[in-house]
Amino acid sequence: MELIDGNQIATTIVAELKAAVAALGGRPPCLALVRVGDDPASVSYVKKKEKTAEEIGVTSRVILPPVTITQDELFKLIDDLNADPAVDGILVQSPLPKHIDEVAVFRRVSPHKDVDGFNTINLGKVAQEDETGFVACTPAGIMELLARSQVDLKGKHVVVLGRSLIVGKPVALLALQKKAGANGTVTICHSATANLPAITRQADVLIAAIGRAEFVTADMVKPGAVIIDVGINRVADATKKSGYRLVGDVNFPAVSPLAAKITPVPGGVGPMTVAMLMSNTLKARRLAATAR
Ligand code: NDP
């Protein structure tokens, strides 16, 4: 079994991006990070994004509206960022408070600044294999992890567990694309899929993104498969100071001995998501520069 080390691969990408930003003419790329309220996980995610931006030489502009912000006020804030020529990328940290329609907010971000890749236009561009768009960061990170771990999907059966708009569907579309590294034969499974283990056992590459702690067990996996675990789940653990530990959607101790390659949690897909956000921000800067 080979461990796919997301931390190491993300570190390499961050160094590549740092060099690319240093070689850019003009002002550095600028990323606006909008965090509504003080959800603890969002606070730590935004901090990590700010820190990585700084490391690469991307300017970040953090905007912290109160949790009471209305949808219209948030739309106005996004419209202002859309119109601001000094801002290349906009990220609205999820989850948003219940009174705000998250999908409507994602759609409000200009497709030219949608570095999260959640806008309808950008998801459509993934389906159309139009590379001028932005690919959502986690799916893009998964494809990059596979490519940099010498996993070619051509002719492989790729089974994706989960059909969310931010992970399952876009990663399935990417694996299916008619291009080098992709060309997979893709099956997407979800909560209404019948006889799930019989399908996952056929996977040469299994991508688990369902948000269920240690759901994928050894009997669900074909020996020699490549396993990508996207899940981030907290399970109670009294031996930890925090009172919990993070586990993926895959039962790592049981599945890893069977796998040809596998990502750990933490330290697999997670670090790639932030690296891809920075890559998208650099792309937005370049696209804005060529549009002028
Ligand atoms: P969602 O909750 O949006 O989607 C979960 C998907 O899994 C749904 O399609 C759901 O099916 C399916 N599902 C749920 N239970 C089952 C089941 N028992 N059998 C089969 N399918 C099931 O989750 P996300 O896609 O947003 O996230 C998935 C996981 O990935 C989470 O743990 C999340 O924390 C993690 N994540 C990690 C990231 C990273 O950077 N590493 C980034 C984003 C997410 P249905 O559609 O039928 O409801």
Side-chain angles (χ1 to χ4, degrees), residues 24-35:
L24 267 184
R27 68 161 174 80
C30 173
L31 172 64
L33 294 161
V34 181
R35 194 196 81 213

Side-chain angles (χ1 to χ4, degrees), residues 36-38 64-74 97 99-100:
V36 179
D38 292 316
L64 303 172
V67 73
T68 51
I69 191 169
T70 66
Q71 179 143 325
D72 283 345
E73 286 165 346
L74 188 54
H99 65 277
I100 291 176

Side-chain angles (χ1 to χ4, degrees), residues 42 49-50 66 71 100 102 110 126 149 155 162 168 172 189 201 265 289:
S42 296
K49 288 166 187 174
E50 256 187 284
Q71 179 143 325
I100 291 176
E102 197 162 87
S110 159
V126 173
S149 305
C189 302
R201 272 197 298 271
V265 176

Side-chain angles (χ1 to χ4, degrees), residues 15-292:
E16 290 167 6
L17 292 171
K18 188 174 174 179
V21 168
L24 267 184
R27 68 161 174 80
C30 173
L31 172 64
L33 294 161
V34 181
R35 194 196 81 213
V36 179
D38 292 316
D39 170 70
S42 296
V43 170
S44 90
Y45 286 143
V46 170
K47 254 196 209 134
K48 170 78 183 142
K49 288 166 187 174
E50 256 187 284
K51 193 169 158 269
T52 309
E54 192 185 342
E55 202 178 328
I56 292 174
V58 167
T59 307
S60 49
R61 194 192 289 181
V62 181
I63 302 152
L64 303 172
V67 73
T68 51
I69 191 169
T70 66
Q71 179 143 325
D72 283 345
E73 286 165 346
L74 188 54
F75 278 177
K76 168 78 172 66
L77 193 157
I78 293 169
D79 291 347
D80 290 346
L81 292 170
N82 284 341
D84 186 340
V87 171
D88 300 302
I90 302 169
L91 177 135
V92 183
Q93 184 63 49
S94 168
L96 290 169
K98 293 270 176 289
H99 65 277
I100 291 176
D101 178 349
E102 197 162 87
V103 175
V105 168
F106 295 149
R107 286 196 189 126
R108 192 80 175 196
V109 174
S110 159
H112 305 294
K113 299 192 178 187
D114 171 40
V115 286
D116 238 348
F118 294 162
N119 184 289
T120 316
I121 304 262
N122 284 316
L123 192 55
K125 284 189 174 182
V126 173
Q128 292 181 343
E129 306 197 19
D130 175 344
E131 302 211 335
T132 64
F134 296 103
V135 179
C137 302
T138 302
I142 294 168
M143 295 306 284
E144 198 66 39
L145 268 185
L146 290 168
R148 292 186 188 233
S149 305
Q150 288 76 49
V151 178
D152 188 344
L153 300 182
K154 187 175 180 182
K156 302 268 167 54
H157 187 184
V158 180
V159 175
V160 179
L161 280 183
R163 58 175 162 186
S164 75
L165 277 174
I166 62 168
V167 189
K169 274 182 193 150
V171 82
L173 285 170
L174 291 170
L176 187 65
Q177 284 188 340
K178 198 167 179 176
K179 68 180 237 191
N183 280 306
T185 301
V186 180
T187 302
I188 308 179
C189 302
H190 45 77
S191 65
T193 299
N195 206 359
L196 194 73
I199 300 171
T200 56
R201 272 197 298 271
Q202 293 172 29
D204 300 308
V205 177
L206 180 62
I207 302 175
I210 57 173
R212 301 263 181 268
E214 300 180 316
F215 179 90
V216 177
T217 47
D219 58 314
M220 294 170 73
V221 171
K222 173 161 81 175
V226 173
I227 313 285
I228 304 293
D229 189 354
V230 188
I232 303 177
N233 309 289
R234 285 182 177 192
V235 295
D237 186 341
T239 67
K240 301 277 176 197
K241 219 164 87 187
S242 58
Y244 68 86
R245 69 193 156 90
L246 292 181
V247 298
D249 289 345
V250 176
N251 185 323
F252 188 89
V255 170
S256 55
L258 290 173
K261 300 183 188 218
I262 186 166
T263 59
V265 176
V269 175
M272 295 298 290
T273 298
V274 180
M276 291 301 110
L277 173 67
M278 299 304 147
S279 169
N280 277 348
T281 304
L282 175 60
K283 182 175 184 181
R285 174 79 190 97
R286 287 189 170 131
L287 289 173
T290 52
R292 263 176 227 127

